[in-house]
């Protein structure tokens, strides 16, 4: 005898992702449509009042998203949003002569080179809630773990991707800089290819 | 155009450096798991010059673990009387056919019991048992055998001392 199982009614939410309007590059109006991928909402409308403890999305080693909730502990923010340092900034050098600066500790023939970091255009980057890949998030790969994983941050080598699940492949965008033009590639595409498995490695995974 | 490549995305903006990939069952080609390489091709590198293994990441795609346990939906369907019991009927039909065959056989033999006559067969078998072997010396197998004729065994002569 078995008791009748009544499947629970699925809870639905009235909170739908609706398009929203924003102004970019000064006066250009733009409609933004949020999209939900693997539970992560992209292009979400920013809150009216910025919340420093707003959860952000990190990635597991295999590329699955995980939400991180920042905490304030003893006056310090822990697990806060990632700081990208200067990885996405562009360096601009300015050369100043003595005549321009007239610094008292500068020789008349000396020149001063000042490096200025220019922030990237975050018009579209700001709509991404997932942590971006930077070289400090690279891992080591290979049998001896002595090869840097550039340009990838996720997935880690020998991760196991399961059917019907969604994983995020992340790479450092500035890795793809054309040597001839010095410009970062504006378009890329991702390939998945079969690899012949080493017979020694085959079937070693404990199911 | 890239060898062994089973999935290539569209050209996407290189803004955020991320792309979601949903693993599909057909990529496994009826295997439990497959080793693959993930690679990113920038637009300034042509398909001919692009090598997926140069900066690729090796990983596995797998069917994942399967737990063979009735789900809530399956149990609800069973309770509603919607079942998929074809295997059950197949498994039951085989012994049923065997039992029916033996019952039919029993009645067939019972009905035809009086009409059976195996005397010729039994006679033949009994005659085989009563066969006369004949003389040993005429047997084909032992015809050429040199057998000594019976002679009286030598008698032992007692000496005088023995007496």
């Amino acid at each position: 005898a078995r008791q009748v199982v009544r499947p629970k009614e699925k809870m639905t939410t009235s909170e739908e992702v609706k398009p929203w309007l924003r102004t970019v590059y000064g006066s250009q109006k733009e409609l933004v449509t949020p999209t939900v991928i693997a539970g992560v909402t992209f292009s979400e409308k920013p809150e009216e009042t910025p919340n420093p403890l707003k959860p952000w999305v990190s990635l597991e080693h295999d590329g699955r998203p995980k939400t991180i909730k920042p905490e304030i502990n003893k006056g310090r923010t822990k697990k806060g949003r990632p700081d990208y340092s200067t990885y996405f900034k562009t360096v601009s050098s300015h050369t100043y002569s003595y005549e321009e600066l007239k610094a008292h500790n500068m020789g008349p023939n000396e020149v001063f080179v000042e490096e200025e970091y220019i922030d990237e255009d975050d018009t579209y980057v700001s709509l991404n809630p997932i942590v971006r890949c930077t070289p400090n998030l690279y891992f080591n790969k290979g049998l001896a773990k002595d090869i840097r994983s550039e340009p990838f941050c996720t997935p880690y080598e020998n991760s196991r991707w399961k059917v019907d699940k969604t994983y995020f492949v992340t790479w450092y965008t500035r890795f793809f800089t054309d040597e001839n033009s010095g410009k970062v590639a504006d378009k890329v595409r991702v390939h998945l290819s079969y690899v012949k498995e080493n017979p020694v490695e085959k079937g070693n995974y404990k199911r | 155009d890239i060898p062994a490549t089973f999935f290539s995305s569209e050209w996407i903006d290189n803004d955020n450096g991320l792309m979601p990939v949903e693993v599909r069952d057909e990529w496994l080609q009826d295997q439990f798991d497959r080793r693959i390489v993930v690679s990113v091709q920038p637009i300034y590198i042509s398909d001919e010059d692009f090598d997926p293994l140069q900066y690729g990441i090796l990983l596995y795609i797998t069917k994942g673990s399967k737990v063979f346990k009735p789900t809530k939906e399956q149990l609800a369907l069973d309770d509603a009387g919607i079942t998929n019991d074809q295997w059950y009927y197949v498994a039951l039909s085989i012994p049923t056919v065997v039992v029916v065959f033996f019952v039919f056989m029993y009645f067939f033999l019972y009905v035809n019991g009086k009409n059976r006559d195996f005397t010729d067969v039994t006679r033949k078998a009994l005659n085989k048992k009563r066969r006369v072997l004949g003389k040993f010396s005429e047997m084909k197998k032992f015809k050429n055998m040199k057998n000594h004729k019976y002679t009286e065994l030598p008698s032992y002569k007692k000496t005088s001392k023995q007496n």
Side-chain angles (χ1 to χ4, degrees):
Chain A
R2 193 176 65 224
Q3 284 195 331
V4 176
V5 178
R6 298 185 192 284
K8 285 180 184 173
E9 280 184 30
K10 280 188 178 175
M11 296 292 286
T12 52
T13 176
S14 58
E15 208 173 305
E16 289 176 14
V17 279
K18 292 176 182 171
W20 52 283
L21 185 71
R22 69 169 183 166
T23 309
V24 293
Y25 305 122
S27 58
Q28 200 178 332
K29 301 269 185 187
E30 186 181 69
L31 276 175
V32 183
T33 310
T35 46
V36 181
I37 300 168
V40 181
T41 311
F42 290 83
S43 310
E44 199 177 17
K45 188 178 180 182
E47 292 173 5
E48 296 295 327
T49 49
N51 177 12
L53 295 179
K54 193 188 174 191
W56 55 281
V57 183
S58 178
L59 293 171
E60 302 273 7
H61 284 180
D62 57 2
R64 277 176 297 141
K66 62 173 178 183
T67 308
I68 306 290
K69 291 175 182 170
E71 300 164 358
I72 292 180
N73 193 358
K74 294 177 184 173
R76 289 186 178 186
T77 310
K78 285 191 171 180
K79 300 181 194 171
R81 287 183 164 266
D83 176 24
Y84 298 121
S85 185
T86 55
Y87 286 120
F88 295 107
K89 290 180 179 177
T90 310
V91 182
S92 172
S93 300
H94 295 285
T95 309
Y96 297 100
S97 63
Y98 175 76
E99 280 72 32
E100 286 174 294
L101 292 176
K102 295 230 166 49
H104 71 90
N105 55 352
M106 199 175 171
N109 296 326
E110 268 187 81
V111 286
F112 173 64
V113 180
E114 189 185 46
E115 284 185 344
E116 190 189 359
Y117 287 95
I118 302 160
D119 288 329
E120 68 174 339
D121 175 15
D122 70 339
T123 310
Y124 294 98
V125 170
S126 61
L127 300 172
N128 166 37
I130 294 184
V131 60
R132 295 172 75 191
C133 180
T134 49
N136 62 331
L137 294 177
Y138 287 161
F139 57 94
N140 283 347
K141 64 176 185 176
L143 277 174
K145 303 280 177 208
D146 57 345
I147 305 164
R148 291 243 289 176
S149 67
E150 57 187 10
F152 293 98
C153 289
T154 60
Y156 273 41
E157 195 175 46
N158 297 330
S159 296
R160 299 188 78 83
W161 280 4
K162 289 179 183 172
V163 168
D164 294 335
K165 295 207 169 170
T166 304
Y167 300 87
F168 286 94
V169 180
T170 55
W171 63 91
Y172 179 46
T173 50
R174 302 215 167 190
F175 179 83
F176 298 109
T177 306
D178 191 357
E179 287 176 6
N180 300 324
S181 64
K183 282 185 178 177
V184 178
D186 56 341
K187 297 270 182 191
V188 292
R189 64 176 178 177
V190 175
H191 298 289
L192 303 180
S193 320
Y194 291 124
V195 181
K196 199 176 178 185
E197 199 170 355
N198 188 343
V200 177
E201 296 169 338
K202 204 164 190 176
N204 278 348
Y205 182 71
K206 196 176 175 184
R207 290 182 187 176
Chain B
D1 297 334
I2 300 159
T5 299
F6 58 92
F7 170 80
S8 293
S9 70
E10 299 290 314
W11 289 107
I12 55 168
D13 290 333
N14 189 27
D15 291 336
N16 295 311
L18 69 90
M19 203 196 96
V21 177
E22 190 183 354
V23 183
R24 291 186 207 151
D25 196 20
E26 61 260 29
W27 294 349
L28 281 165
Q29 294 181 328
D30 296 330
Q31 292 188 27
F32 179 77
D33 56 7
R34 299 244 14 193
R35 194 144 170 78
I36 61 162
V37 62
V38 180
S39 53
V40 174
Q41 179 191 8
I43 199 161
Y44 57 80
I45 295 181
S46 63
D47 286 358
E48 290 76 35
D49 298 334
F50 180 66
D51 178 16
L53 291 171
Q54 193 182 3
Y55 293 111
I57 292 289
L58 290 162
L59 53 100
Y60 295 90
I61 50 171
T62 173
K63 278 200 172 169
S65 52
K66 292 268 182 194
V67 179
F68 293 101
K69 186 181 165 189
T71 59
K72 283 183 178 178
E73 289 75 19
Q74 186 60 46
L75 288 171
L77 284 171
D78 288 350
D79 290 329
I82 304 162
T83 52
N84 186 16
D85 290 341
Q86 279 182 341
W87 68 271
Y88 186 72
Y89 297 119
V90 171
L92 263 185
S93 62
I94 295 164
T96 310
V97 166
V98 173
V99 167
V100 167
F101 171 76
F102 276 109
V103 169
F104 172 78
M105 192 76 181
Y106 176 80
F107 281 106
F108 179 79
L109 293 174
Y110 181 77
V111 169
N112 292 307
K114 288 172 185 173
N115 303 325
R116 277 202 305 272
D117 184 12
F118 294 119
T119 48
D120 54 337
V121 179
T122 48
R123 198 182 299 127
K124 209 174 182 181
L126 283 171
N127 285 344
K128 259 190 181 178
K129 275 190 180 177
R130 289 177 194 141
R131 190 164 58 133
V132 178
L133 289 171
K135 281 184 181 176
F136 180 77
S137 58
E138 286 169 6
M139 283 183 189
K140 208 177 182 181
K141 198 174 181 183
F142 305 107
K143 223 172 192 176
N144 299 324
M145 193 176 168
K146 284 182 180 175
N147 204 2
H148 295 283
K149 281 184 178 175
Y150 172 76
T151 51
E152 206 172 312
L153 288 168
S155 58
Y156 184 73
K157 286 177 184 175
K158 290 180 182 175
T159 57
S160 57
K161 282 179 183 177
Q162 283 174 325
N163 291 327

